[in-house]
Amino acid sequence: MFQRKCSPFSVFLLFLLGFGPSLSAQNTVSVTGKVLSYDQNSALEYVSVKLYKLPDSTFQKGVFTNTDGRFSLNTNPGKYYLQLSLAFYENQTTEAFELKPGQTNFHQGTLRMRQPKTQEVKDVVVRGQKDVMEAGIDKKIYNVAEDLNVNGGTANDILNRLPSVEVDQDGGVLLRGQGSVTILIDGRPSSMSGGNGKTLLDALPANSIERVEVVTNPSAKYDPDGTSGIINIVLKKNKLLGFNGMVSTNLASGDLKGGNVGEGSLSLSYRNGNINVFGTYNARYLEGYRNNYNDIRQELNSGVFILDQNRTGTDLDAGQTFRMGTDINLNPRNTIGFVATGSLTRRDRTGDLINAQLNESGVITNLWSRSSFDPTDRQNLDLNLNYKHDFKEDRGNFILDVNQSLGSEDIKGFYVNTYYNPDSTISSLPVLDQRLINTDKNNITTAQADLTYLFPKLGLRTEAGLKAILRDQLVDTYSETLDNSLNTYLEDTLANFLYGYKEQIYSLYGVAGKQIKRFKMQAGLRVEKAYQIPNLISDSIRIVNDYFNFFPSAHLRYELKPKSELSLSYSRRIKRASANELNPFTNYSDPFNLQRGNPYLSPEYIHSFDLAYSLEKKKMTVSSALFFRQSNGVISRFKEFYPDNTSAVSYMNIAQTKALGGELILMFKPSPSLRSTLSYNGNYTWYKTNMAEFPDRQGFNHNVKWNTSYEFWKKTATLQLSVNYNGPRVTVQGIAQRRGPIDLAFEKKLANGNWSLGARVTDIFDRQGFYFEVDRPGVYQTGEFKWLTRRVYVSASYKFGKLEISNKAKQSGSDGGGEL
């Protein structure tokens, strides 16, 4: 005999697996029935059958019909009614019925559901249309397929269209004016969504995305990372029965200097009752330009020092993305799935930077140019294995999910400095010739188990789970400079480094929710142990930052009347420094604009409050919120300036920030052909630094976004207009503003919707760009970035196959994975 110790993970997992079935309760009355279609008299599968108790219409429980259209659920004696719902069918409510003590069975008989008269059903083809934006009280969903103006774009183009979201010139994402947002792909961390401290979403085609979910104050069920919440990008996943496919292409042209775009995609799928196999492939080629200028004025003891920089350059973005997977229904309550998503991308940038140093009188004292060529190759691969078990009587489910994300980025840099005399003649100074090689490898392993279980008699919903996230990153940088006398390249020992980063996060959570008449309450707690280990391998320095935290959450809702709710929520959140922000080695790719991290950064902690209201009418939906955030130990990006007029971007913890703001989303449907969405977000932010060189700042930030579409030509043609405006945003050292575009798109469907032809113009007035201003004691800087944004696109797509949506997919309302 021997004893074997079990790890806490094993004990908890066994608890999750055994918890649900042991809590099943016996009920006294069985309610049964059958659901058929009114027109075809055929059984309807996956109809949602919900039981409500009178007199207050409290929800008791729900089930789905089986393949024969039959349902059965158990409950206690009392007065009840049933509500039936199925996508593309009219909802139906039964008359009230009474279950008496001692009664064992109640048969509803046959119930029939109708399809709307306005909906055409030819053969087995079912077509429907969603709104571009679905705004709930706690989550906003952006349906990508309904926005014609992102056809041929990337994930970054989609994010720029979301209410309260901005993407800056470096790919950084801001939500409600804050730059700390957790970005997930299919509900999981990915090397494409910022695993190495940077977002690589320009490698993800918009056509591969089903929808984007935005949760601004999530519960303890979700990772607490991110000042402002979570953005979940859900990729497409087949929901059509039989064999189906689609092929599409996009072509575009920019200005007379180039800017050509080519994109093509192919998707194939097969689905029957037990198995779903799908695959997609996308190739993209985009030419453009990327220009910027910087003007820096610095007051030194020796006088005023001015640096004027102007850069013009080209930008090539090309890549391939694939996705393949399968779902297998082992039996009606057990499903296993596997998905692989990968991308191969290349980003080549060239540039000619003219640098001029001037004195206070505006006279040039130094003049030189810097030509650059920066080719970048990226490879990303995400592998996911998941298992789901549904408990009997729709009591909940257990989900086990394992994800492996691998990413690598190879950056090369070739730089040549040529020096001139103030009169623009060639100087006698030798040419500076540098070469840089940077390799960045990133590995993210995620494993989690989630249990949801319902207690209908108590009106209680419980959730519990555990999760582990392991990140491993290695950055290897090598630089060398040409020795003109020896005519050979010599190593730059100051600029070369090897940097490693490890992060381990272990967490478990519990959430309980209960409904009492019109009130819905939910409270949760997440417990977390985390390690962040920046490893300065070149300097033999290893720094271990470990911390233990509690993250509570609370949500309260009140139903004012049907389809009108008021909610109040709170959550404690965290922003961890990224691997790049912790990397202390200096990046010398631009000697006058250096970059370095800070390995001693502490986490930033946030208290987030939301007061929200939603109202849904037949022709209008309103979603609004007031929010307040207080962040302590804020991780802030700042710029240091040196007497030789060089500067370096780094990071530090400042004392505190506070933000008070509001959000309003209005969706209008004045007629069946016209749909319009208007959103506004504004907040006032206070930055408190407790540092003389960085004075306290405060200011107002806001943005407005409008999307409207009109259907005509018997609803086979659509015209769509999108307008984005982002106001100046206050930062720790000044202001920043991303100017938004105005886009116009048209689409015509042919051959019963199987063919689609379209055209669109992006950034009609060529105004999209990024501007910033740094204003601090002794230093004033302005800068602007402009890239090719005005393009004319033409597109075509063709769908083929059975094109029949399975009832299960209709009911779920989703053909993607990883929903929040």
Side-chain angles (χ1 to χ4, degrees), residues 199 566 591:
T199 57
L566 186 67

Side-chain angles (χ1 to χ4, degrees), residues 30 42 218 260 331 400 419 432 467 656 679 697-698 702 704:
S30 176
S42 59
N260 296 320
N331 55 50
L400 184 64
Y419 299 93
L432 176 65
K467 186 174 185 177
Q656 189 181 81
S679 69
R697 290 184 180 273
Q698 55 184 298
H702 67 287
V704 180

Side-chain angles (χ1 to χ4, degrees), residues 92-147:
Q92 181 175 337
T93 302
T94 68
E95 294 183 357
F97 55 88
E98 184 176 2
L99 306 178
K100 298 180 179 180
Q103 185 178 357
T104 58
N105 293 286
F106 177 81
H107 186 57
Q108 268 284 348
T110 300
L111 303 172
R112 301 180 185 273
M113 300 185 69
R114 295 176 179 266
Q115 292 180 322
K117 294 181 180 179
T118 58
Q119 184 177 24
E120 295 183 4
V121 180
K122 298 182 179 181
D123 298 329
V124 290
V125 179
V126 181
R127 308 193 186 280
Q129 182 180 17
K130 300 178 182 178
D131 293 324
V132 173
M133 178 64 60
E134 299 176 30
I137 201 164
D138 59 351
K139 180 169 68 174
K140 297 166 185 63
I141 299 175
Y142 174 86
N143 296 304
V144 176
E146 305 303 326
D147 191 346

Side-chain angles (χ1 to χ4, degrees), residues 252-441:
S253 178
D255 57 17
L256 297 178
K257 299 178 183 179
N260 296 320
V261 175
E263 183 192 37
S265 65
L266 172 68
S267 62
L268 299 172
S269 64
Y270 174 78
R271 181 170 189 158
N272 61 23
N274 295 318
I275 190 170
N276 175 31
V277 181
F278 56 92
T280 62
Y281 172 80
N282 178 279
R284 185 169 181 266
Y285 179 91
L286 186 150
E287 295 177 346
Y289 65 78
R290 186 177 179 88
N291 304 332
N292 68 276
Y293 81 83
N294 279 287
D295 287 321
I296 304 173
R297 180 184 177 91
Q298 190 172 4
E299 297 178 2
L300 305 172
N301 294 331
S302 58
V304 176
F305 201 60
I306 300 172
L307 176 64
D308 179 47
Q309 295 182 304
N310 286 277
R311 180 188 183 278
T312 58
T314 64
D315 190 359
L316 170 65
D317 187 358
Q320 305 172 73
T321 303
F322 73 87
R323 177 175 168 85
M324 61 183 66
T326 183
D327 296 315
I328 302 174
N329 297 323
L330 304 177
N331 55 50
R333 292 201 302 275
N334 293 276
T335 303
I336 190 169
F338 172 78
V339 179
T341 305
S343 67
L344 300 171
T345 63
R346 182 176 180 85
R347 192 75 179 262
D348 291 350
R349 288 178 173 175
T350 66
D352 292 305
L353 176 65
I354 305 299
N355 302 270
Q357 288 183 348
L358 304 89
N359 59 25
E360 189 172 7
S361 302
V363 177
I364 296 177
T365 58
N366 289 296
L367 182 65
W368 72 99
S369 67
R370 182 175 177 84
S371 65
S372 62
F373 173 50
D374 298 279
T376 301
D377 290 302
R378 300 169 181 159
Q379 302 87 34
N380 296 91
L381 178 64
D382 287 1
L383 303 173
N384 174 259
L385 181 65
N386 58 81
Y387 165 76
K388 181 181 179 182
H389 171 75
D390 293 318
F391 296 129
K392 293 181 179 179
E393 299 178 353
D394 202 28
R395 288 290 184 92
N397 57 59
F398 170 75
I399 299 175
L400 184 64
D401 191 287
V402 179
N403 196 75
Q404 182 69 51
S405 181
L406 304 171
S408 68
E409 185 176 40
D410 298 314
I411 304 173
K412 296 180 181 179
F414 303 90
Y415 311 104
V416 176
N417 281 17
T418 305
Y419 299 93
Y420 302 87
N421 297 314
D423 61 357
S424 299
T425 59
I426 298 291
S427 171
S428 60
L429 293 174
V431 170
L432 176 65
D433 188 341
Q434 294 176 300
R435 298 193 303 202
L436 172 73
I437 300 175
N438 182 90
T439 302
D440 188 339
K441 297 186 180 297

Side-chain angles (χ1 to χ4, degrees), residues 178-242:
Q178 296 292 322
S180 173
V181 185
T182 297
I183 299 180
L184 306 175
I185 295 181
D186 284 338
R188 309 171 189 97
S190 168
S191 58
M192 295 185 66
S193 63
N196 58 353
K198 298 178 291 184
T199 57
L200 307 178
L201 299 178
D202 55 355
L204 194 60
N207 289 342
S208 67
I209 300 173
E210 171 65 23
R211 66 185 183 277
V212 179
E213 303 168 340
V214 180
V215 184
T216 51
N217 210 20
S219 73
K221 178 178 179 179
Y222 306 106
D223 294 334
D225 299 78
T227 304
S228 304
I230 297 172
I231 295 177
N232 182 36
I233 298 173
V234 181
L235 302 181
K236 289 181 178 178
K237 189 175 181 181
N238 174 52
K239 66 178 179 180
L240 301 175
L241 290 173

